[in-house]
Amino acid sequence: TRRPSYGKEQQVKSILRELLVYIVFLTDLCILTFGMVSTDMYYLNRVMSHLFLETPSSEADGVTFRSIGSIADFWKFAEGPLLDGLYWDKWYNNVTLTTQKTSSHIYYENLLLGVAQIRQLKVRNGTCSIYPYFRTLLKDCYSEYRYRAEDRAAFGLKNGSEWKYLSVSSLSPWYWGYVGLYSNGGFIFTLPKSKQESAEKLVSLRQNSWLTRGTRVVFIDFSMYNANINLFCIIRLVVEFPATGGALTSSQIYSVKLLRYVTYYDYFLASCEVTFCLFVIAFIIHEIIKIATLKAEYFRSAWNWLNILLVVISVLAIAFNIYRTVEVSLLMEELLSNSSVYPDFYFLASWQVHYNNMIAVNVFFAWIKIFKYVSFNKTMTQLSSTLSRCAKDIIGFAIMFFIIFFAYAQLGYLVFGSQVDEFSTFQNCIFTQFRIVLGDFNFATIEEANSILGPIYFITFVFSVFFVLLNMFLAIINDTYSEVKADFAAIPSQEFAISDFLSQ
């Protein structure tokens, strides 16, 4: 057996030492991330989705949230399934719940936090242009929602917050709906603590025309807490009334763990968080030393850029974790002091979801970094060499591919966009064409939309992209891999050094 040289042996030792430390860091990170989620989140989301989105009411003519198609349907839902879901005042055998006087328990297990809030945004009359021929026939004109077209004037009875515009200074992100990007302000009211008073409030608003022709969106927000599984569920139901008429519904249901340190396992996760912080500090120091040593040479390595990305995301995650913990404690104090107000947990829930997404990206790149330490493996080296050697050919191919791909996307959007949902927006056209390549597509829809151009579009697209371009891409990769494999056959592998070192 050949013994590796001293220099190569030191290099192998360094690689294995770094790999061992990095595996400990990756294990700690995975424990943290998987400790933030559980299957209970999915089941809680599913239960709440069934209750508020799919459950009809006999008194509401079978209207569910998903089936809302007009302002009249909205009131039927609000006065029926919404109130039935928010206020559980009886057990299954019609025995009145004793806890109903001070609080509401949804499905008996989930405590409604504070009260629900309903908010609408309107646009002003005259915010769109009427063609001269129709000005004598049309006096009113309400455009699609834009921030500058918002109607902030008091209307109706003008004697409460629901009739007067409120500008909310919240850090919550604006809501991106189907047809608009909506701000945080609006005409806002909260439902009372009892079901009877809430029903009377909604009837009064309906009779006094709280929703008008200028109404473009209505938000229904409420939060609940399940102590059995220590999860908050924050729900936002959105009904958009586009300028075309009708209604579009969407929803956001977030089950998040905001109270972190309750059980012994939570304190174990806290110790992992401290370990994670120490790792991040060590990585920062290590990268600063490398930058000071290598200077401009440091930034020429893709692995070093990956290290910087991991450190930046980790620092942001630590900062948000501290901020979230402080904000939850302050919000809970405010809620406990006054249970008849709406607690804005949507702000924390939305940022918690962004935080989870950020951590998920961090874990993804952390796993990718393992390739750096296993690069001495012959197969991994061949793979990276193949991709780097054919990079120029792939870039040239990608330019040609996307020229044809986007040309077909524009053709599909212009020909089928007004009739087929999959082509209704340019973004949908792009995703639809990827689905066509994968075989997941309903050909009958475009054939019905245009019996001549539909089949021509489909056949030429499949032939050009699937049979020609994708096979050309595979040929580029295959030829380059054959060349790399032949070159590596003539080079002694570094794997001998690893195996010799490990056998000592």
Side-chain angles (χ1 to χ4, degrees), residues 33 36 355-365:
T33 50
M36 295 189 306
Y355 167 75
N356 291 348
N357 295 341
M358 182 171 59
I359 290 296
V361 172
N362 201 19
V363 171
F364 172 79
F365 284 118

Side-chain angles (χ1 to χ4, degrees), residues 89-105:
D89 51 4
K90 293 184 183 298
W91 194 243
Y92 62 89
N93 57 359
N94 288 327
V95 175
T96 302
L97 296 175
T98 56
T99 57
Q100 188 64 25
K101 297 178 181 178
T102 57
S103 61
S104 176
H105 288 75

Side-chain angles (χ1 to χ4, degrees), residues 29-243:
L29 180 59
C30 289
I31 292 173
L32 277 180
T33 50
F34 285 98
M36 295 189 306
V37 297
S38 68
T39 54
D40 292 328
M41 293 180 174
Y42 167 74
Y43 292 123
L44 183 57
N45 284 351
R46 192 176 70 172
V47 164
M48 292 303 144
S49 175
H50 174 74
L51 175 62
F52 289 103
L53 305 185
E54 301 166 9
T55 302
S57 174
S58 57
E59 299 175 2
D61 300 329
V63 172
T64 66
F65 177 77
R66 295 191 192 277
S67 67
I68 292 175
S70 64
I71 291 178
D73 288 345
F74 171 81
W75 287 117
K76 290 178 182 178
F77 165 77
E79 296 173 32
L82 178 64
L83 291 185
D84 293 341
L86 286 175
Y87 302 97
W88 287 65
D89 51 4
K90 293 184 183 298
W91 194 243
Y92 62 89
N93 57 359
N94 288 327
V95 175
T96 302
L97 296 175
T98 56
T99 57
Q100 188 64 25
K101 297 178 181 178
T102 57
S103 61
S104 176
H105 288 75
I106 300 171
Y107 269 133
Y108 315 111
E109 305 292 345
N110 306 281
L111 174 66
L112 179 66
L113 300 174
V115 293
Q117 173 184 276
I118 300 180
R119 171 171 67 96
Q120 74 155 315
L121 289 170
K122 302 168 57 184
V123 294
R124 298 187 303 274
N125 187 10
T127 47
C128 52
S129 301
I130 300 176
Y131 196 73
Y133 291 164
F134 294 99
R135 285 177 184 169
T136 56
L137 301 173
L138 300 172
K139 302 297 181 183
D140 299 327
C141 178
Y142 298 89
S143 71
E144 67 273 7
Y145 177 83
R146 298 188 308 274
Y147 182 70
R148 292 188 176 182
E150 259 191 21
D151 185 0
R152 299 182 179 87
F155 72 106
L157 302 180
K158 301 182 181 180
N159 61 353
S161 63
E162 60 266 32
W163 306 103
K164 298 178 181 179
Y165 185 88
L166 292 178
S167 180
V168 180
S169 58
S170 172
L171 294 176
S172 297
W174 287 18
Y175 183 83
W176 197 341
Y178 288 123
V179 293
L181 180 63
Y182 303 103
S183 66
N184 291 323
F187 300 89
I188 304 171
F189 72 93
T190 56
L191 293 176
K193 294 289 288 184
S194 74
K195 184 177 182 178
Q196 181 64 31
E197 292 178 11
S198 297
E200 293 172 358
K201 178 78 172 178
L202 291 173
V203 170
S204 173
L205 290 171
R206 173 169 53 83
Q207 292 175 346
N208 289 284
S209 301
W210 186 65
L211 297 182
T212 66
R213 280 187 61 192
T215 299
R216 284 293 169 259
V217 66
V218 177
F219 297 93
I220 303 173
D221 293 294
F222 52 95
S223 307
M224 63 196 74
Y225 174 68
N226 190 312
N228 302 338
I229 51 179
N230 188 28
L231 287 179
F232 288 83
C233 188
I234 292 84
I235 299 177
R236 166 166 285 184
L237 308 179
V238 184
V239 183
E240 296 176 75
F241 300 98

Side-chain angles (χ1 to χ4, degrees), residues 397 401-402 404-406 408-409 422-423 428-443 446 457-474:
F397 165 81
F401 175 83
F402 282 110
I404 297 175
F405 194 83
F406 285 121
Y408 272 102
E422 286 87 351
F423 292 88
N428 283 357
C429 291
I430 294 173
F431 294 131
T432 299
Q433 290 187 164
F434 279 115
R435 288 173 55 196
I436 291 175
V437 173
L438 297 173
D440 176 24
F441 183 69
N442 184 6
F443 170 71
I446 62 172
Y457 163 85
F458 183 78
I459 292 170
T460 56
F461 176 78
V462 170
F463 179 79
S464 302
V465 174
F466 189 74
F467 289 107
V468 177
L469 293 179
L470 289 184
N471 282 290
M472 186 185 297
F473 174 74
L474 294 175

